[in-house]
Amino acid sequence: MPYGYIASMKARPGHRDEVIDILTGGADGLRTAGCHLYVVAAATTDDVTIWVSEVWESKQHHDDSLKLPEARAAIAQAMPLLTGEFFTQETEVRGGLTGQP
Amino acid sequence: MPYGYIASMKARPGHRDEVIDILTGGADGLRTAGCHLYVVAAATTDDVTIWVSEVWESKQHHDDSLKLPEARAAIAQAMPLLTGEFFTQETEVRGGLTGQP
């Protein structure tokens, strides 16, 4: 069953768009790393919270992707713009509707 | 920009799979209602929590979908199997990678 990962993080005030640009910048490269879905979204209830929903072939694929040079560079670039408050949840994806027809 | 909706809920002990079956049962019909993505997942850290990540053409499409007879029936069927603890977050989807190539 596919591996799911849901995370939220808070940007320092005024930096959310910048963080979102970093997070979405390398999205195209994720497919070859075993990523099925990767959605980056801004909470509508405040100006700092970012939510990321991911679906991967397996937990191993997700873990391995974090070691790629481009992922490490993106994380290093984003970290100083974040408050350090993270929420993360690992899931087992059970079904639904994915992608356009 | 697409509308995102992230929710989590807790099933009564022993009923998570049943709720997930209800939630995923009508997924195919959502596309025509303006749903781009709908992922139903089980938390790996307990036996009761369910996470749902959705992307819709607009908030209006999402709101309207909840009024469809099949949605109302699914909600009525699932509600008694849930504890009533919900988390929901509305988002503005900013980008990422969606669907298979």
Side-chain angles (χ1 to χ4, degrees), chain A:
Chain A
M1 233 154 332
Y3 170 79
Y5 187 81
I6 294 170
S8 84
M9 60 202 81
K10 289 187 193 301
R12 294 188 188 281
H15 292 288
R16 183 163 72 173
D17 287 350
E18 206 177 334
V19 174
I20 287 174
D21 284 348
I22 296 167
L23 293 177
T24 55
D28 290 338
L30 295 179
R31 203 188 296 278
T32 51
C35 183
H36 295 194
L37 272 181
Y38 174 67
V39 177
V40 180
T44 57
T45 41
D46 67 52
D47 293 330
V48 295
T49 306
I50 298 165
W51 283 85
V52 181
S53 302
E54 309 177 27
V55 177
W56 291 81
E57 221 160 296
S58 71
K59 175 172 167 53
Q60 193 62 51
H61 282 85
H62 178 248
D63 292 354
D64 288 348
S65 76
L66 296 173
K67 299 173 198 153
L68 297 172
E70 48 274 41
R72 296 167 68 109
I75 292 166
Q77 205 185 344
M79 284 306 267
L81 305 173
L82 298 170
T83 63
E85 294 165 82
F86 287 96
F87 162 82
T88 64
Q89 176 67 57
E90 295 187 304
T91 67
E92 187 181 87
V93 175
R94 296 292 187 84
L97 172 72
T98 57
Q100 298 285 20

Coordinates of all heavy atoms in Angstrom, one line a residue, chain A:
Chain A
M1 N 0.8 -1.2 0.0 CA 0.0 0.0 0.0 C 0.9 1.2 0.0 O 1.9 1.3 0.7 CB -0.9 0.0 1.2 CG -2.3 0.2 0.8 SD -3.7 -0.5 1.8 CE -3.0 -1.9 2.7
P2 N 0.5 2.3 -0.7 CA 1.4 3.5 -0.8 C 1.5 4.1 0.6 O 0.7 4.0 1.4 CB 0.6 4.4 -1.8 CG -0.4 3.6 -2.5 CD -0.7 2.4 -1.6
Y3 N 2.6 4.8 0.7 CA 3.0 5.5 1.9 C 2.6 6.9 1.9 O 2.8 7.6 0.8 CB 4.5 5.4 2.1 CG 5.1 6.2 3.2 CD1 5.1 5.8 4.5 CD2 5.8 7.4 2.9 CE1 5.6 6.6 5.5 CE2 6.4 8.2 3.9 CZ 6.3 7.8 5.2 OH 6.9 8.5 6.2
G4 N 1.9 7.4 2.9 CA 1.5 8.8 2.9 C 2.2 9.6 4.0 O 2.7 9.0 5.0
Y5 N 2.4 10.8 3.7 CA 3.1 11.7 4.7 C 2.4 13.1 4.7 O 2.2 13.7 3.6 CB 4.5 11.9 4.3 CG 5.4 12.6 5.2 CD1 5.9 12.0 6.4 CD2 5.8 13.9 5.0 CE1 6.8 12.6 7.3 CE2 6.6 14.6 5.9 CZ 7.1 14.0 7.0 OH 7.9 14.6 7.9
I6 N 1.9 13.5 5.8 CA 1.2 14.8 5.9 C 2.0 15.6 6.9 O 2.4 15.1 8.0 CB -0.2 14.6 6.5 CG1 -1.0 13.8 5.4 CG2 -0.8 16.0 6.8 CD1 -2.4 13.4 6.0
A7 N 2.4 16.8 6.5 CA 3.2 17.7 7.4 C 2.6 19.1 7.4 O 2.1 19.6 6.4 CB 4.6 17.7 6.9
S8 N 2.8 19.8 8.5 CA 2.6 21.2 8.5 C 3.7 21.9 9.2 O 4.4 21.3 10.0 CB 1.2 21.6 9.1 OG 1.3 21.7 10.5
M9 N 4.0 23.1 8.7 CA 5.1 23.9 9.3 C 4.7 25.3 9.3 O 3.8 25.7 8.6 CB 6.3 23.6 8.5 CG 6.2 24.1 7.0 SD 7.4 23.2 5.9 CE 6.6 21.6 5.7
K10 N 5.4 26.1 10.1 CA 5.1 27.6 10.1 C 6.3 28.4 9.6 O 7.4 28.2 10.1 CB 4.7 28.0 11.5 CG 3.4 27.4 12.0 CD 3.0 28.0 13.3 CE 1.8 27.2 13.9 NZ 0.6 27.2 13.1
A11 N 6.0 29.3 8.7 CA 7.0 30.2 8.2 C 7.2 31.4 9.1 O 6.2 31.7 9.8 CB 6.7 30.7 6.8
R12 N 8.3 31.9 9.2 CA 8.5 33.2 9.9 C 7.6 34.2 9.2 O 7.5 34.2 8.0 CB 9.9 33.6 10.0 CG 10.8 32.7 10.7 CD 12.3 33.2 10.9 NE 13.1 32.2 11.5 CZ 13.2 31.9 12.8 NH1 12.4 32.6 13.7 NH2 14.0 31.0 13.2
P13 N 7.0 35.2 10.0 CA 6.1 36.1 9.4 C 6.7 36.8 8.1 O 7.9 37.2 8.1 CB 5.9 37.2 10.5 CG 6.1 36.4 11.7 CD 7.1 35.3 11.4
G14 N 5.9 36.8 7.0 CA 6.4 37.4 5.8 C 7.2 36.5 4.9 O 7.5 36.9 3.7
H15 N 7.4 35.3 5.3 CA 8.3 34.4 4.5 C 7.5 33.2 3.9 O 8.2 32.3 3.3 CB 9.5 33.9 5.3 CG 10.4 35.0 5.6 ND1 11.3 35.6 4.6 CD2 10.7 35.7 6.7 CE1 12.0 36.5 5.2 NE2 11.7 36.6 6.5
R16 N 6.2 33.1 4.1 CA 5.5 31.9 3.6 C 5.6 31.7 2.1 O 5.9 30.6 1.7 CB 4.0 31.9 4.0 CG 3.3 30.6 3.7 CD 2.0 30.4 4.4 NE 1.0 31.3 3.9 CZ -0.3 31.3 4.3 NH1 -0.7 30.3 5.2 NH2 -1.2 32.1 3.9
D17 N 5.4 32.7 1.3 CA 5.5 32.5 -0.1 C 6.8 32.1 -0.6 O 7.0 31.2 -1.5 CB 5.1 33.8 -0.8 CG 3.6 34.2 -0.8 OD1 2.9 33.3 -0.3 OD2 3.3 35.3 -1.1
E18 N 7.9 32.6 0.1 CA 9.2 32.2 -0.2 C 9.5 30.7 0.0 O 10.0 30.0 -0.8 CB 10.2 33.1 0.7 CG 11.5 33.3 0.1 CD 12.3 34.2 1.1 OE1 11.7 35.0 1.8 OE2 13.6 34.1 1.1
V19 N 9.0 30.3 1.2 CA 9.1 28.8 1.5 C 8.3 28.0 0.6 O 8.8 26.9 0.1 CB 8.6 28.6 3.0 CG1 8.6 27.1 3.3 CG2 9.5 29.3 4.0
I20 N 7.1 28.4 0.2 CA 6.3 27.7 -0.7 C 7.0 27.6 -2.1 O 7.0 26.5 -2.7 CB 4.9 28.3 -0.9 CG1 4.1 28.0 0.4 CG2 4.2 27.8 -2.1 CD1 2.8 28.6 0.5
D21 N 7.7 28.6 -2.5 CA 8.4 28.6 -3.8 C 9.5 27.5 -3.7 O 9.8 26.8 -4.7 CB 9.0 30.0 -4.1 CG 8.0 30.9 -4.6 OD1 6.8 30.5 -4.9 OD2 8.3 32.1 -4.7
I22 N 10.2 27.5 -2.6 CA 11.3 26.5 -2.4 C 10.7 25.1 -2.4 O 11.2 24.2 -3.1 CB 12.0 26.8 -1.1 CG1 12.7 28.1 -1.1 CG2 13.0 25.6 -0.8 CD1 13.2 28.6 0.3
L23 N 9.6 24.9 -1.7 CA 9.0 23.6 -1.6 C 8.4 23.1 -3.0 O 8.5 21.9 -3.2 CB 7.9 23.5 -0.6 CG 8.3 23.8 0.9 CD1 7.1 23.8 1.8 CD2 9.3 22.7 1.3
T24 N 7.9 24.0 -3.8 CA 7.3 23.5 -5.0 C 8.4 23.5 -6.2 O 8.1 22.9 -7.2 CB 6.2 24.5 -5.5 OG1 6.6 25.8 -5.5 CG2 5.0 24.4 -4.5
G25 N 9.5 24.2 -5.9 CA 10.5 24.3 -7.0 C 11.0 23.0 -7.5 O 11.2 22.9 -8.8
G26 N 11.2 22.0 -6.7 CA 11.8 20.8 -7.2 C 10.8 19.7 -7.4 O 11.1 18.5 -7.6
A27 N 9.5 20.0 -7.5 CA 8.4 19.0 -7.5 C 8.6 18.1 -8.7 O 8.3 16.9 -8.6 CB 7.1 19.7 -7.5
D28 N 8.9 18.6 -9.9 CA 9.0 17.7 -11.1 C 10.0 16.6 -10.9 O 9.7 15.5 -11.4 CB 9.4 18.6 -12.3 CG 8.3 19.5 -12.7 OD1 7.1 19.3 -12.3 OD2 8.5 20.5 -13.4
G29 N 11.0 16.8 -10.2 CA 12.1 15.8 -10.0 C 11.6 14.7 -9.1 O 12.3 13.6 -9.1
L30 N 10.6 14.9 -8.3 CA 10.2 13.9 -7.4 C 9.6 12.6 -8.0 O 9.7 11.5 -7.4 CB 9.1 14.5 -6.4 CG 9.6 15.6 -5.5 CD1 8.5 16.1 -4.7 CD2 10.8 15.1 -4.6
R31 N 9.0 12.8 -9.2 CA 8.3 11.6 -9.8 C 9.3 10.4 -10.0 O 9.0 9.3 -9.7 CB 7.7 12.0 -11.1 CG 6.6 11.1 -11.5 CD 6.1 11.4 -12.9 NE 5.5 12.7 -13.1 CZ 4.2 13.0 -12.8 NH1 3.5 12.1 -12.3 NH2 3.8 14.2 -13.0
T32 N 10.5 10.8 -10.5 CA 11.4 9.7 -10.7 C 12.0 9.1 -9.4 O 12.5 8.0 -9.4 CB 12.7 10.2 -11.5 OG1 13.1 11.4 -10.9 CG2 12.3 10.6 -12.9
A33 N 11.7 9.8 -8.3 CA 12.2 9.3 -7.0 C 11.1 8.4 -6.3 O 11.3 7.9 -5.2 CB 12.5 10.4 -6.1
G34 N 10.0 8.2 -7.0 CA 8.9 7.3 -6.5 C 7.8 8.1 -5.8 O 7.0 7.5 -5.0
C35 N 7.7 9.4 -6.1 CA 6.6 10.2 -5.5 C 5.4 10.1 -6.4 O 5.5 10.4 -7.6 CB 7.1 11.6 -5.4 SG 5.9 12.7 -4.6
H36 N 4.2 9.8 -5.9 CA 3.0 9.8 -6.7 C 2.2 11.1 -6.6 O 1.6 11.5 -7.5 CB 2.1 8.7 -6.2 CG 2.6 7.3 -6.4 ND1 1.9 6.2 -6.3 CD2 3.9 6.9 -6.7 CE1 2.6 5.1 -6.5 NE2 3.8 5.5 -6.8
L37 N 2.3 11.7 -5.4 CA 1.6 12.9 -5.2 C 2.3 13.8 -4.2 O 2.9 13.3 -3.2 CB 0.3 12.6 -4.5 CG -1.0 12.3 -5.3 CD1 -2.1 12.0 -4.3 CD2 -1.3 13.4 -6.2
Y38 N 2.3 15.1 -4.5 CA 3.0 16.1 -3.6 C 2.2 17.4 -3.7 O 2.2 18.0 -4.8 CB 4.4 16.2 -4.1 CG 5.3 17.2 -3.4 CD1 5.6 17.1 -2.0 CD2 5.7 18.3 -4.1 CE1 6.4 18.0 -1.4 CE2 6.6 19.3 -3.4 CZ 6.9 19.1 -2.1 OH 7.7 20.0 -1.5
V39 N 1.5 17.8 -2.7 CA 0.6 18.9 -2.7 C 1.1 19.9 -1.7 O 1.2 19.6 -0.5 CB -0.9 18.6 -2.5 CG1 -1.7 19.9 -2.5 CG2 -1.4 17.6 -3.6
V40 N 1.5 21.1 -2.1 CA 1.9 22.2 -1.2 C 0.8 23.2 -1.1 O 0.4 23.7 -2.1 CB 3.2 22.8 -1.6 CG1 3.7 23.9 -0.7 CG2 4.3 21.8 -1.8
A41 N 0.3 23.5 0.1 CA -0.8 24.4 0.3 C -0.6 25.4 1.4 O 0.1 25.1 2.4 CB -2.1 23.6 0.5
A42 N -1.3 26.5 1.3 CA -1.2 27.6 2.3 C -2.5 27.5 3.1 O -3.6 27.6 2.5 CB -1.0 28.9 1.7
A43 N -2.4 27.5 4.5 CA -3.6 27.6 5.3 C -4.3 28.9 5.0 O -3.7 29.9 4.9 CB -3.3 27.5 6.8
T44 N -5.7 28.9 4.9 CA -6.4 30.1 4.7 C -6.7 30.8 6.0 O -7.2 32.0 6.0 CB -7.7 29.8 4.0 OG1 -8.5 28.9 4.8 CG2 -7.5 29.2 2.6
T45 N -6.4 30.2 7.1 CA -6.8 30.8 8.4 C -5.7 31.6 9.1 O -5.9 32.2 10.1 CB -7.2 29.6 9.3 OG1 -6.4 28.5 9.2 CG2 -8.7 29.2 9.0
D46 N -4.5 31.6 8.5 CA -3.4 32.5 9.0 C -2.5 32.7 7.8 O -2.7 32.3 6.7 CB -2.7 31.8 10.2 CG -1.9 30.6 9.8 OD1 -1.1 30.6 8.9 OD2 -2.2 29.5 10.5
D47 N -1.4 33.5 8.1 CA -0.5 33.9 7.1 C 0.9 33.1 7.1 O 1.8 33.5 6.4 CB -0.2 35.4 7.2 CG -1.4 36.3 6.9 OD1 -2.2 35.8 6.1 OD2 -1.5 37.3 7.5
V48 N 1.0 32.2 8.0 CA 2.3 31.5 8.2 C 2.3 30.0 8.0 O 3.3 29.4 7.7 CB 2.8 31.8 9.6 CG1 3.1 33.3 9.7 CG2 1.9 31.4 10.7
T49 N 1.1 29.4 8.1 CA 1.1 27.9 8.1 C 1.1 27.3 6.7 O 0.3 27.8 5.8 CB -0.1 27.4 8.9 OG1 -0.1 27.9 10.2 CG2 0.0 25.8 9.0
I50 N 1.9 26.3 6.5 CA 2.0 25.6 5.2 C 1.7 24.1 5.5 O 2.1 23.5 6.5 CB 3.4 25.7 4.6 CG1 3.8 27.1 4.3 CG2 3.6 24.8 3.4 CD1 5.3 27.3 4.1
W51 N 0.9 23.5 4.6 CA 0.6 22.1 4.7 C 1.1 21.4 3.5 O 0.9 21.8 2.3 CB -1.0 21.9 4.8 CG -1.5 22.2 6.1 CD1 -1.9 23.4 6.6 CD2 -1.7 21.2 7.2 NE1 -2.3 23.2 7.9 CE2 -2.2 21.9 8.3 CE3 -1.5 19.8 7.3 CZ2 -2.5 21.3 9.5 CZ3 -1.8 19.2 8.5 CH2 -2.3 20.0 9.6
V52 N 1.7 20.2 3.7 CA 2.2 19.4 2.6 C 1.6 18.0 2.7 O 1.6 17.4 3.8 CB 3.7 19.3 2.7 CG1 4.3 18.5 1.5 CG2 4.4 20.7 2.6
S53 N 1.0 17.5 1.6 CA 0.4 16.1 1.6 C 1.2 15.3 0.5 O 1.3 15.8 -0.6 CB -1.0 16.1 1.2 OG -1.8 16.9 2.1
E54 N 1.7 14.2 0.9 CA 2.5 13.4 0.0 C 2.1 12.0 -0.1 O 1.6 11.4 0.9 CB 4.0 13.4 0.4 CG 4.5 14.8 0.6 CD 6.0 14.9 1.1 OE1 6.7 13.9 0.8 OE2 6.3 15.8 1.8
V55 N 2.2 11.4 -1.3 CA 2.0 9.9 -1.4 C 3.2 9.4 -2.2 O 3.6 9.9 -3.2 CB 0.7 9.6 -2.2 CG1 0.6 8.1 -2.4 CG2 -0.5 10.1 -1.5
W56 N 3.8 8.3 -1.6 CA 5.0 7.7 -2.2 C 4.8 6.2 -2.4 O 4.0 5.6 -1.7 CB 6.2 7.9 -1.2 CG 6.6 9.4 -1.1 CD1 6.1 10.3 -0.4 CD2 7.7 10.0 -1.8 NE1 6.7 11.5 -0.6 CE2 7.8 11.3 -1.4 CE3 8.7 9.5 -2.7 CZ2 8.7 12.2 -1.9 CZ3 9.6 10.4 -3.2 CH2 9.6 11.7 -2.8
E57 N 5.6 5.7 -3.3 CA 5.6 4.3 -3.5 C 5.8 3.5 -2.2 O 5.2 2.4 -2.0 CB 6.7 3.9 -4.5 CG 6.3 2.9 -5.6 CD 7.2 3.0 -6.8 OE1 7.2 4.1 -7.4 OE2 7.9 2.0 -7.0
S58 N 6.7 4.0 -1.4 CA 7.0 3.3 -0.1 C 7.7 4.3 0.8 O 8.1 5.4 0.4 CB 7.9 2.1 -0.3 OG 9.2 2.6 -0.6
K59 N 7.7 4.0 2.1 CA 8.4 4.8 3.1 C 9.9 4.9 2.7 O 10.5 6.0 2.8 CB 8.3 4.2 4.5 CG 9.1 5.0 5.5 CD 8.8 4.4 6.9 CE 9.8 4.9 8.0 NZ 9.9 6.4 8.0
Q60 N 10.4 3.8 2.2 CA 11.8 3.8 1.8 C 12.1 4.9 0.7 O 13.1 5.6 0.7 CB 12.2 2.4 1.3 CG 13.7 2.2 1.1 CD 14.5 2.4 2.5 OE1 14.1 1.8 3.5 NE2 15.5 3.3 2.5
H61 N 11.2 4.9 -0.3 CA 11.3 5.9 -1.4 C 11.3 7.3 -0.8 O 12.1 8.2 -1.2 CB 10.2 5.8 -2.4 CG 10.4 4.6 -3.3 ND1 10.0 3.4 -3.0 CD2 10.9 4.6 -4.6 CE1 10.3 2.6 -4.0 NE2 10.8 3.3 -5.0
H62 N 10.4 7.6 0.2 CA 10.3 8.9 0.8 C 11.6 9.2 1.5 O 12.2 10.3 1.4 CB 9.1 9.0 1.7 CG 9.0 10.3 2.4 ND1 9.2 10.5 3.8 CD2 8.8 11.6 1.9 CE1 9.1 11.7 4.1 NE2 8.8 12.4 3.0
D63 N 12.1 8.3 2.3 CA 13.3 8.5 3.1 C 14.5 8.8 2.2 O 15.3 9.7 2.5 CB 13.5 7.3 4.1 CG 12.5 7.2 5.1 OD1 11.6 8.1 5.3 OD2 12.5 6.2 5.9
D64 N 14.6 7.9 1.2 CA 15.7 8.1 0.3 C 15.7 9.4 -0.4 O 16.7 10.0 -0.7 CB 15.7 7.0 -0.8 CG 16.1 5.6 -0.2 OD1 16.6 5.6 0.9 OD2 15.9 4.6 -0.9
S65 N 14.5 9.9 -0.7 CA 14.4 11.2 -1.5 C 14.9 12.4 -0.7 O 15.4 13.3 -1.2 CB 12.9 11.5 -1.8 OG 12.2 11.9 -0.7
L66 N 14.9 12.2 0.7 CA 15.4 13.3 1.5 C 16.9 13.4 1.5 O 17.5 14.4 1.9 CB 14.9 13.1 2.9 CG 13.4 13.2 3.1 CD1 13.0 12.8 4.5 CD2 12.8 14.6 2.8
K67 N 17.5 12.4 1.0 CA 19.0 12.4 0.9 C 19.5 12.9 -0.5 O 20.7 13.1 -0.6 CB 19.5 11.0 1.1 CG 19.2 10.4 2.5 CD 19.6 8.9 2.5 CE 18.8 8.2 3.7 NZ 18.7 6.7 3.4
L68 N 18.6 13.1 -1.4 CA 19.1 13.7 -2.7 C 19.6 15.1 -2.5 O 19.1 15.8 -1.7 CB 17.9 13.7 -3.7 CG 17.2 12.3 -4.0 CD1 15.9 12.6 -4.8 CD2 18.2 11.5 -4.8
P69 N 20.7 15.4 -3.3 CA 21.3 16.7 -3.2 C 20.3 17.9 -3.3 O 20.4 18.8 -2.5 CB 22.3 16.7 -4.3 CG 22.5 15.3 -4.7 CD 21.3 14.5 -4.3
E70 N 19.3 17.8 -4.2 CA 18.4 18.9 -4.4 C 17.5 19.0 -3.2 O 17.1 20.1 -2.9 CB 17.6 18.7 -5.8 CG 17.0 17.4 -6.1 CD 18.0 16.4 -6.8 OE1 19.2 16.3 -6.4 OE2 17.5 15.7 -7.7
A71 N 17.1 17.9 -2.6 CA 16.2 17.9 -1.4 C 17.0 18.5 -0.3 O 16.5 19.4 0.5 CB 15.8 16.5 -1.1
R72 N 18.2 18.1 -0.1 CA 19.0 18.7 1.0 C 19.3 20.2 0.8 O 19.2 20.9 1.8 CB 20.4 17.9 1.1 CG 20.2 16.5 1.4 CD 21.5 15.7 1.2 NE 22.6 16.1 2.1 CZ 23.0 15.3 3.1 NH1 22.5 14.1 3.3 NH2 23.9 15.7 4.0
A73 N 19.5 20.6 -0.4 CA 19.6 22.0 -0.7 C 18.4 22.8 -0.4 O 18.4 23.9 0.2 CB 20.1 22.2 -2.1
A74 N 17.2 22.2 -0.8 CA 15.9 22.9 -0.5 C 15.7 23.0 1.0 O 15.2 24.0 1.5 CB 14.8 22.1 -1.2
I75 N 15.9 21.9 1.7 CA 15.7 21.9 3.2 C 16.6 23.0 3.8 O 16.2 23.8 4.7 CB 16.0 20.5 3.7 CG1 14.9 19.5 3.3 CG2 16.0 20.5 5.3 CD1 15.2 18.1 3.5
A76 N 17.9 23.0 3.4 CA 18.8 24.0 4.0 C 18.4 25.4 3.7 O 18.5 26.3 4.5 CB 20.2 23.7 3.4
Q77 N 17.8 25.6 2.5 CA 17.3 27.0 2.1 C 16.1 27.4 2.9 O 15.9 28.5 3.3 CB 17.0 26.9 0.6 CG 17.1 28.2 -0.1 CD 16.7 28.1 -1.6 OE1 16.6 26.9 -2.1 NE2 16.4 29.2 -2.2
A78 N 15.2 26.4 3.2 CA 13.9 26.7 3.8 C 14.0 26.8 5.3 O 13.3 27.6 5.9 CB 12.9 25.6 3.4
M79 N 14.9 26.0 5.9 CA 14.9 26.0 7.4 C 15.0 27.3 8.1 O 14.3 27.6 9.1 CB 16.0 25.0 7.9 CG 15.7 23.5 7.7 SD 14.2 23.0 8.5 CE 14.7 22.5 10.1
P80 N 15.9 28.2 7.7 CA 16.0 29.5 8.4 C 14.8 30.4 8.3 O 14.6 31.3 9.0 CB 17.2 30.2 7.7 CG 17.9 29.2 6.9 CD 16.9 28.1 6.6
L81 N 13.9 30.0 7.3 CA 12.7 30.8 7.1 C 11.5 30.3 7.9 O 10.4 30.8 7.8 CB 12.3 30.8 5.6 CG 13.4 31.3 4.7 CD1 13.0 31.1 3.2 CD2 13.7 32.8 4.9
L82 N 11.7 29.2 8.6 CA 10.7 28.5 9.4 C 10.9 28.7 10.9 O 12.0 28.9 11.3 CB 10.7 27.0 9.1 CG 10.4 26.6 7.6 CD1 10.7 25.1 7.4 CD2 9.0 26.9 7.2
T83 N 9.7 28.6 11.6 CA 9.8 28.8 13.1 C 10.4 27.6 13.8 O 10.8 27.7 15.0 CB 8.4 29.1 13.7 OG1 7.6 27.9 13.5 CG2 7.8 30.3 13.0
G84 N 10.3 26.4 13.1 CA 10.8 25.2 13.8 C 9.6 24.4 14.4 O 9.8 23.3 14.9
E85 N 8.4 24.9 14.3 CA 7.2 24.1 14.7 C 6.7 23.3 13.6 O 6.3 23.8 12.6 CB 6.1 25.1 15.1 CG 6.3 25.9 16.3 CD 5.3 27.1 16.4 OE1 4.2 26.8 16.8 OE2 5.6 28.2 15.9
F86 N 6.8 22.0 13.8 CA 6.4 21.0 12.7 C 5.4 20.1 13.3 O 5.4 19.7 14.4 CB 7.6 20.2 12.3 CG 8.6 20.9 11.4 CD1 9.7 21.4 12.0 CD2 8.4 21.0 10.0 CE1 10.6 22.1 11.2 CE2 9.3 21.7 9.2 CZ 10.4 22.2 9.8
F87 N 4.5 19.7 12.4 CA 3.6 18.6 12.7 C 3.8 17.6 11.6 O 3.9 18.0 10.4 CB 2.1 19.0 12.7 CG 1.1 17.9 12.6 CD1 0.8 17.1 13.7 CD2 0.6 17.5 11.3 CE1 -0.1 16.0 13.5 CE2 -0.3 16.4 11.2 CZ -0.6 15.7 12.3
T88 N 4.0 16.3 11.9 CA 4.1 15.3 10.8 C 3.3 14.1 11.2 O 3.1 13.7 12.4 CB 5.6 14.9 10.6 OG1 6.0 14.2 11.8 CG2 6.5 16.0 10.3
Q89 N 2.7 13.4 10.2 CA 2.0 12.2 10.4 C 2.2 11.2 9.2 O 2.0 11.6 8.0 CB 0.5 12.5 10.4 CG -0.4 11.3 10.5 CD -0.3 10.6 11.9 OE1 -0.5 11.2 12.9 NE2 0.1 9.3 11.8
E90 N 2.7 10.1 9.5 CA 2.9 9.0 8.5 C 1.6 8.3 8.4 O 0.9 8.0 9.4 CB 4.0 8.1 8.9 CG 5.3 8.7 9.0 CD 6.4 7.7 9.2 OE1 6.4 7.0 10.3 OE2 7.4 7.6 8.4
T91 N 1.2 7.9 7.2 CA 0.0 7.2 6.9 C 0.2 6.1 5.9 O 1.2 6.0 5.2 CB -1.2 8.1 6.4 OG1 -0.8 8.5 5.1 CG2 -1.4 9.3 7.3
E92 N -0.8 5.2 5.9 CA -0.9 4.2 4.9 C -2.1 4.6 4.0 O -3.2 4.7 4.5 CB -1.3 2.8 5.6 CG -1.3 1.6 4.8 CD -1.6 0.4 5.6 OE1 -2.8 0.1 5.7 OE2 -0.7 -0.3 6.1
V93 N -1.8 4.8 2.7 CA -2.8 5.3 1.8 C -3.8 4.2 1.4 O -3.3 3.1 1.0 CB -2.2 6.0 0.6 CG1 -3.3 6.4 -0.4 CG2 -1.4 7.2 1.0
R94 N -5.1 4.4 1.6 CA -6.0 3.3 1.4 C -6.8 3.5 0.1 O -7.5 2.6 -0.4 CB -7.0 3.3 2.6 CG -6.4 2.9 3.9 CD -5.9 1.5 3.9 NE -5.4 1.1 5.2 CZ -6.2 0.7 6.2 NH1 -7.5 0.5 6.0 NH2 -5.7 0.4 7.4
G95 N -6.9 4.7 -0.5 CA -7.7 4.9 -1.7 C -8.1 6.3 -1.9 O -7.6 7.2 -1.2
G96 N -9.0 6.5 -2.9 CA -9.5 7.8 -3.2 C -9.4 8.0 -4.7 O -9.6 7.1 -5.5
L97 N -9.1 9.3 -5.0 CA -9.1 9.7 -6.4 C -7.8 10.5 -6.6 O -7.6 11.5 -5.9 CB -10.3 10.6 -6.6 CG -10.4 11.3 -7.9 CD1 -10.8 10.3 -9.1 CD2 -11.5 12.4 -7.8
T98 N -7.0 10.1 -7.5 CA -5.7 10.8 -7.7 C -5.5 11.2 -9.1 O -5.6 10.4 -10.0 CB -4.5 9.9 -7.2 OG1 -4.5 8.7 -7.9 CG2 -4.6 9.6 -5.7
G99 N -5.1 12.4 -9.3 CA -4.8 12.9 -10.6 C -5.9 13.2 -11.5 O -7.0 12.8 -11.2
Q100 N -5.6 13.9 -12.5 CA -6.6 14.3 -13.6 C -6.9 13.1 -14.4 O -6.0 12.2 -14.5 CB -6.1 15.4 -14.4 CG -5.9 16.7 -13.6 CD -7.2 17.4 -13.2 OE1 -8.3 16.8 -13.3 NE2 -7.1 18.7 -12.9
P101 N -8.0 13.0 -15.1 CA -8.3 11.8 -16.0 C -7.3 11.8 -17.1 O -6.7 12.8 -17.5 CB -9.7 12.1 -16.5 CG -10.0 13.5 -16.3 CD -9.1 14.0 -15.2

